[in-house]
């Protein structure tokens, strides 16, 4: 299936994903007669699945009698929506002025190297997602990042690498490996 400015790019087949779209039927029923509720429906769907797959977008369009292009347009316009799964650990690295002048770029380079991904990507094992953000509001701790809402400040490339290793170990221990 091609969709919404595909320019030859393929998006996931709406039937290929193992996602159970019926999990959001209660949401669709709740907002079916509420005008202007598309953003709320998308937010609640993302809460269920962690992201908005094409299968979910297609189902929302079908069930709300809204063009897929409109649903996709809203989902891609707002930065709160994710079209790809995120990792277990969502890393938000501050790129604000204080963090920038105190070495955020070198911390980013270390994270990218340690994780084997670039900013905005998720590791293949779905363990880590790295996102740069404009400001976390923790300037006195710069450079700073948040991992699943927990703040880590006064970072160096070495500290950032150590944290990633700790989180990997924690994950492996929780799996009993």
């Amino acid at each position: 299936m091609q969709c919404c400015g595909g320019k030859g790019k393929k998006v996931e087949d709406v039937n290929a994903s193992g996602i159970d779209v019926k999990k959001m039927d209660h949401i669709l029923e709740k907002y079916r007669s509420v005008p202007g509720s598309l953003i709320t429906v998308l937010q609640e769907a993302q809460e269920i699945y962690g992201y908005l797959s094409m299968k979910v977008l297609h189902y929302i369009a079908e069930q709300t009698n809204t063009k897929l292009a409109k649903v996709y347009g809203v989902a891609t316009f707002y930065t709160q929506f994710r079209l790809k799964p995120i990792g277990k650990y969502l890393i938000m690295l501050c790129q604000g002025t204080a963090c920038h002048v105190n070495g955020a770029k070198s911390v980013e380079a270390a994270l990218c190297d340690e994780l084997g991904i670039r900013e905005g990507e998720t590791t293949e094992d779905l363990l880590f997602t790295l996102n740069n953000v404009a400001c976390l509001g923790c300037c006195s701790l710069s450079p700073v990042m948040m991992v699943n809402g927990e703040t880590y400040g006064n970072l160096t490339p070495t500290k950032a690498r150590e944290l990633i290793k700790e989180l990997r170990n924690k994950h492996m221990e929780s799996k009993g490996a």
Side-chain angles (χ1 to χ4, degrees), residues 125-141:
D125 60 4
L126 296 179
L127 199 53
F128 296 96
T129 298
L130 175 60
N131 287 337
N132 285 338
V133 296
C135 185
L136 290 173
C138 305
C139 301
S140 64
L141 299 176

Side-chain angles (χ1 to χ4, degrees), residues 62-74:
E62 180 182 280
Q63 295 299 309
T64 60
N65 201 23
T66 306
K67 290 185 184 288
L68 179 58
K70 180 176 181 178
V71 174
Y72 185 83
V74 170

Side-chain angles (χ1 to χ4, degrees), residues 93 104-115 117 130 157 161:
L93 179 61
K105 284 297 179 193
S106 63
V107 171
E108 180 182 352
L111 288 169
C112 290
D113 181 60
E114 187 67 31
L115 297 169
I117 59 173
L130 175 60
R161 285 178 187 274

Side-chain angles (χ1 to χ4, degrees), residues 12 49-52 82-87 121-123 126 128-129:
E12 76 180 82
Y49 303 108
Y51 74 108
L52 299 171
R82 297 179 295 274
L83 301 182
K84 294 186 277 187
I86 61 168
E121 294 181 340
T122 299
T123 57
L126 296 179
F128 296 96
T129 298

Side-chain angles (χ1 to χ4, degrees), residues 50 82 85-93 122 126-131 133 136 144-152 163-164 167-168 170-171:
R82 297 179 295 274
I86 61 168
K88 177 180 179 178
Y89 298 106
L90 176 59
I91 302 166
M92 295 188 300
L93 179 61
T122 299
L126 296 179
L127 199 53
F128 296 96
T129 298
L130 175 60
N131 287 337
V133 296
L136 290 173
V144 65
M145 69 181 179
M146 292 183 93
V147 181
N148 293 356
E150 190 169 335
T151 305
Y152 298 89
L163 176 62
I164 296 304
L167 293 172
R168 272 195 185 117
K170 179 180 171 183
H171 174 73

